[in-house]
Amino acid sequence: MGDKADVWQGTLALMVLKTLQAMGPLHGYGIARRIEQISGDLLNVNYGTLYPALLKLQQEGYIDSEWGVSDNHRKAKYYKLTRAGRKQLAKEAREWRQATDILARFLTEPERTS
Amino acid sequence: MRRFRAWLVRLGGMFRKGRSDAELAAELESHVQMHIEESICAGMTPEAARRDALMRLGGVEQAKEAYREQRSLPWLDALLQDLRFSARMLRKNPGFTAVAALTLALGIGANSTIFSFADLIVRRPIALPDLNRLVAVSEIVTSTEEKGISPANYLDLKAEPHGLESLAAYQYWSAVLSWEGGSEAVTGVQVTTDFFSALGMQPLLGRTFLPDEAEPGRENAVVLSDSFWKSRFAGDRNVVGKKITLNRRVFTIVGVMPARFTFPLGAHLFWVPLAFTPKERTERSELSLGAVGRLASAATVEQTRVEMQTRWARMEKEYPDATFGRTLRVVPLLDDIVLDYNRQFALLLLGVVGFVLLIACGNVANLHLGRAAGRKQEIAIRTSLGAKRGRLLAQLVTESVLLAVVGGAVGLLLSFWGVHVLRSTLPPDVQEFCDLNELRVDFASLIFTLLLTFVAGLLAGVAPAWQQTRDYVLGALSETGARIAGGRGHRLRRVLVTGELSLAVVLLIGSGLMIKGFATLLSANPSFAPDSLVTMHVNLPPERYGESNQAKAFSDQLLSRLQSLPAVESASLASGVPYSFYDDRAAVRIAGRVELPSRQLPMVMPESVCPAYFRTMHIALREGREFDVRDVPSEAPVAIVSESMAVRLWPGESPIGRQLAVVTPNRRSGAITVVGVASDVLHEIYDHSFRSILYLPYAQAPPGSMDFVLRSQNAGPNLLALARAAVQEIDPNIPIDHLETMTQKIANQTSGLRYVARLMAFFGGVALLLAAVGVYSVVASSVNERRSEIAIRMALGAQPRDVLALVLRNEVLLTALGLGIGIGLALALTHVVAGLIYGVSSWDLTIFTGVPALLACVALLSTSIPARRAMRVDPMVVLRYE
């Protein structure tokens, strides 16, 4: 697992928000698995950063949590997107797309031949 | 906004640790279980699935720790922890805590008291609404800096508003308040009818003045000040409509102003309408009024100044004589009240108490270091348990700041008391430049105290904390580590004590110079013998004494009565005696010299005197003759000049027989012949530079004002009462003021400065005491730590004398160094004091040697107690203890 990249600082929050938008209310384990799956198992969600990140999002009011029961009848804490979270997701996604577009254009610039 | 919300939630998180810890544990547990179940489903054995889950989870405890940090505010957590620990440490050492906190309380209390006073005299000397919209308008005589505005010029400026909403004028008015069976000289203010509205003040009772009360003959209305109302009418709420008699005229009370209204500053009791007489309406040379204006809503001070000065330039062309040598000044009212002088004094006092606080901080830092030895083990243990240096530093500094907060709280209480003491002991003439009722510990003082508390805590705490955590690895856990002689801690303590001594030297030299300066002021006119000289200022009401023969008749009558009083050697009168604020100037033209333009003529102080003046004042005549009965209006005009004037105008020759003419803006006198030269007299207490006095005989040059002088070897209260009675027998309705001996006059005029000097001496004493305590504690602890060294030396044959030398050698060097630095600093700083008060010089041999000698003695005395203890060390006892 050493060759799997840890999630970049700052992008985890965005991934969490997107995951909750796509999947609806979900517990921490589910979120982690989903992010790992989407990344094609290239990313490894460090659990020690996942829970503080969830807490931070909750403190900022972007997500909400409540205890529920999982598919296999296990008690689990479920997180869900709030209205503010939805807005924040749209905003951050837009910003990311812009940033990556710019970078992409930069990197596809043909090399000068001299 | 989101961040703030998160911050609030985290702040809240600090108080719900238990519950959310359990919640997180449950959440992590369910996470692990889900992972295991899925792995089992994928075909792993339960054991392998569990191992894999825990590996992936990356350590439950680390996850919990990271979570906790996000949950609350770790630095705040640490701070609270430090505070709790510090409080425990301070409680555990009540002796140390009390001494250190009280030392800081003294320093902080002194600072916040003086700050309250400085803030009052510099920033808010008077409580007027919209003070920043008020401007003072005045004409300034460039040669004397005399300030005021003449009635006609005022009326011209008022006629065109120039960005002012209103322009009001006022004038002090000495009057005799009389009632059935008594009378008293009082001071009031004559004001234009728009005065109160220009200042934005409403009366407490009744009304202010109506426009038609400004007409001559209708000005019989009076508005009382709060103090007058309370003292004379016992705060009677039905006072409006009652009558009082001023200068034999009846005035109807129309209103009472609230206590906070004290404009213009000073000890006046009431306001009456200012009704210009036709003569006054054309008066352009007498600067008899003060003017205050309120800016129109859109105007700025600069615009108004430019506009008014344009108008002034026109007036200069129209009335070149009356405006000669004058400029128009338009400044914010606050700048008119707060002089540079007041600012400098405020700074001086703040500097003084600032030094006291620095010394106090030095002492507390010393106390911290003194405890360092005993805390070595504690710090060592905490280090070995993993505390980082930053954390230890933070903890020690927190402790110092907490100590300062305790000291600051006590200091704040002290400052409430201190402000009270200031208010009741400040000399009354302070009221001339601030409203003492407004002196209190206000919000600004609180903020200042708070800031100062933190600064003091840091000042006292950072260096010792740095020192204590510096070699925390070295020798930490070994008991003998504590007994290694003279470590770095000691070096720091010596530096601190040296600094304290230097500051104390500066303070004491400063206050010494001030006290010495007063002695110089008081002995400036040594020939006066001020104890046996009585002076009295008489205000002749112009209504009854406007003609010069009326005034002459009065003064002749009074002089003969005064001369016949028991024990009076001689009596005389002058237009203004020295130290009476009399300050007239006139240009002189010397006969037979090249005609200079009037602006370049030499200026002198003309003074009309009666023949006996020189004898009464003990002013020696150097040449020629005194005035006598020959010098009457019908004879040729004569003059006596002061020595300085003689030397200045006729260098190298005798002025006797020379002629000169006095030139004022309005006229030029005929030729006056000099008949005598009198020795110099200083007229100003603080400015000794001007000594050119031109004495004129009273009969030939009737004075505008009258100061009577009496010489008597028995100048007690009895004589003062007799002098007052003599005036009242002639006319009971003549206001008398400044009836006092010359000694009292000098004391009254210097009371503000004497007060400052006393304050400085007091704080100097506090500084001395603190420094002495500092020296003592350093030497004492040094002796204590070196007991075993001393014991070994003694066991090897050292005599008590050698031990004494060992202990003293360092301290003597330190004291010498501290004193040397102090003297250097004092030399650099004392010119500030010297610039403030005439008579205070920045160099004075006795003070610059006496003060260090005194401090050296005190330092030696503080050293002697622990040194004697060192000499009595019993080697057997100490070494056995090892």
Side-chain angles (χ1 to χ4, degrees), chain B residues 215 218 222 265 444 489 533 598 755 805:
Chain B
E215 285 162 29
R218 305 194 59 172
V222 60
L265 285 165
L533 197 60
S598 50
Y755 192 79

Side-chain angles (χ1 to χ4, degrees), chain B residues 343-581:
Chain B
R343 286 201 188 94
Q344 286 160 355
F345 258 100
L347 270 180
L348 176 71
L349 283 177
L350 281 174
V352 167
V353 287
F355 273 29
V356 171
L357 182 63
L358 281 181
I359 296 177
C361 286
N363 265 3
V364 172
N366 250 328
L367 288 172
H368 281 307
L369 284 171
R371 267 188 347 147
R375 292 183 71 173
K376 267 198 175 139
Q377 271 194 312
E378 171 210 331
I379 289 174
I381 291 169
R382 298 179 62 187
T383 308
S384 55
L385 289 179
K388 291 197 184 76
R389 185 177 184 192
R391 198 68 185 66
L392 285 174
L393 257 178
Q395 204 277 308
L396 290 171
V397 172
T398 306
E399 204 170 308
S400 174
V401 170
L402 184 66
L403 189 63
V405 168
V406 176
V410 179
L412 192 63
L413 289 180
L414 273 180
S415 80
F416 278 102
W417 175 75
V419 159
H420 177 75
V421 169
L422 274 188
R423 199 166 33 208
S424 53
T425 58
L426 273 168
D429 49 349
V430 170
Q431 297 262 26
E432 310 264 320
F433 51 85
C434 67
D435 179 2
L436 275 187
N437 294 323
E438 294 290 312
L439 176 57
R440 58 173 163 259
V441 181
D442 67 351
F443 185 67
S445 318
L446 286 180
I447 297 292
F448 176 80
T449 309
L450 194 68
L451 284 177
L452 206 63
T453 298
F454 281 99
V455 169
L458 291 178
L459 276 180
V462 168
W466 185 261
Q467 186 63 54
Q468 269 172 282
T469 55
R470 190 158 163 173
D471 19 49
Y472 59 102
V473 196
L474 186 141
L477 284 167
S478 75
E479 168 69 12
T480 44
R483 248 170 281 141
I484 297 167
R488 285 211 193 90
H490 239 86
R491 203 172 314 149
L492 179 59
R493 301 191 68 177
R494 297 213 166 97
V495 170
L496 286 172
V497 164
T498 309
E500 283 181 41
L501 278 173
S502 321
L503 293 177
V505 167
V506 176
L507 273 192
L508 285 170
I509 284 183
S511 47
L513 285 176
M514 281 193 76
I515 291 165
K516 180 114 184 189
F518 283 115
T520 322
L521 287 181
L522 300 190
S523 58
N525 283 318
S527 66
F528 271 10
D531 276 336
S532 58
L533 197 60
V534 173
T535 72
M536 168 170 71
H537 182 71
V538 169
N539 287 300
L540 291 183
E543 306 91 73
R544 283 174 289 135
Y545 296 93
E547 302 299 320
S548 65
N549 61 342
Q550 291 170 322
K552 173 96 170 70
F554 170 84
S555 59
D556 285 350
Q557 204 184 347
L558 181 58
L559 272 180
S560 72
R561 274 172 191 264
L562 291 176
Q563 260 151 2
S564 65
L565 289 179
V568 168
E569 290 162 24
S570 62
S572 185
L573 95 104
S575 31
V577 293
Y579 306 153
S580 65
F581 295 114

Side-chain angles (χ1 to χ4, degrees), chain B residues 735-751:
Chain B
I736 302 166
D737 50 37
H738 292 105
L739 176 55
E740 59 208 358
T741 65
M742 192 53 107
T743 310
Q744 287 165 337
K745 195 187 267 308
I746 295 172
N748 289 344
Q749 277 202 29
T750 53
S751 58

Side-chain angles (χ1 to χ4, degrees), chain B residues 807-842:
Chain B
V807 174
L808 284 188
R809 194 175 51 226
N810 260 325
E811 311 313 324
V812 168
L813 273 176
L814 278 184
T815 308
L817 184 64
L819 297 183
I821 296 174
I823 292 173
L825 258 179
L827 277 176
L829 286 175
T830 45
H831 67 263
V832 179
V833 185
L836 274 179
I837 310 155
Y838 185 89
V840 176
S841 62
S842 56

